[in-house]
Amino acid sequence: MATTSFSPSAAVRAPSASSFGPHLDLSRRIRLPLTRPPAPAARWGARRHVAPFRLAARRLSVRCGALVQIDQSEFPAEVLGSDIPVLVEFVADWCGPCRLISSVVEWASQEYKGRLKVVKIDHDANPKLITEYKVYGLPALILFKNGQEVPESRREGAITKVKLKEYLDNFLEPTSVV
């Protein structure tokens, strides 16, 4: 009778490719395609699909259709020397809320034509005016009458058409005491 001995090193050896056949060669590595880990929002179930061509940020400029864009050299003549009230809007190209309300301010310049002059001032190009009038937030609206800033007329941030109409009507309507 033949006896076989058990060898512990034989039990630990990895099987060769020949024992499993050529289709299961363990010496080859499995290469998976490289993928990015999901974004934090995607892990929590948010579905946000962004096309790759939209990821590049574009710089949009603030349009001035019927509005006059002035700088600090024109400010004394256009604003302080005006016969009618002037609404000054301080804006910047990089400001999202400025772009958001540009159509509303343009509407106001058409709606109040003859009663109100509307001008835009670029925040980045006119630092002297920014410091002089202490413009801290954009967009900023300041109303000027007779060469002076109207008290409590300063407004910062985005504004709707209805709120802008209320704001302007409040300052432009003559108040009469009975």
Side-chain angles (χ1 to χ4, degrees):
M1 192 184 272
T3 61
T4 59
S5 64
F6 177 73
S7 144
S9 63
V12 178
R13 268 189 285 151
S16 67
S18 62
S19 64
F20 288 113
H23 60 281
L24 286 176
D25 186 4
L26 296 178
S27 63
R28 290 180 160 177
R29 282 197 233 171
I30 299 173
R31 295 186 185 242
L32 298 174
L34 297 175
T35 58
R36 286 190 300 185
R43 282 187 227 140
W44 295 308
R47 297 187 190 269
R48 183 171 178 208
H49 301 286
V50 178
F53 57 87
R54 292 201 177 214
L55 294 177
R58 293 185 314 162
R59 247 191 129 160
L60 300 174
S61 61
V62 179
R63 296 179 318 161
C64 292
L67 303 179
V68 178
Q69 185 160 357
I70 63 172
D71 60 5
Q72 53 200 22
S73 65
E74 301 167 319
F75 187 80
E78 291 287 330
V79 177
L80 302 178
S82 178
D83 303 355
I84 60 174
V86 181
L87 179 65
V88 178
E89 180 188 22
F90 291 92
V91 296
D93 287 341
W94 47 263
C95 171
C98 298
R99 291 192 303 266
L100 184 69
I101 72 164
S102 66
S103 61
V104 175
V105 175
E106 197 165 320
W107 165 85
S109 71
Q110 295 297 323
E111 182 74 17
Y112 293 94
K113 193 174 225 170
R115 293 176 33 198
L116 177 72
K117 182 194 290 188
V118 181
V119 297
K120 285 191 178 199
I121 296 178
D122 185 27
H123 176 273
D124 298 332
N126 301 290
K128 181 182 170 192
L129 289 175
I130 299 303
T131 56
E132 183 178 345
Y133 290 101
K134 297 176 180 71
V135 177
Y136 298 120
L138 292 178
L141 300 173
I142 302 174
L143 190 66
F144 288 85
K145 278 186 183 177
N146 302 324
Q148 298 290 324
E149 180 181 343
V150 176
E152 299 180 14
S153 70
R154 184 179 297 251
R155 174 126 187 168
E156 293 178 349
I159 188 171
T160 63
K161 185 190 268 188
V162 174
K163 292 289 184 183
L164 182 61
K165 183 167 176 42
E166 289 174 9
Y167 165 80
L168 292 173
D169 288 341
N170 185 32
F171 288 110
L172 294 177
E173 293 298 319
T175 56
S176 59
V177 179
V178 178

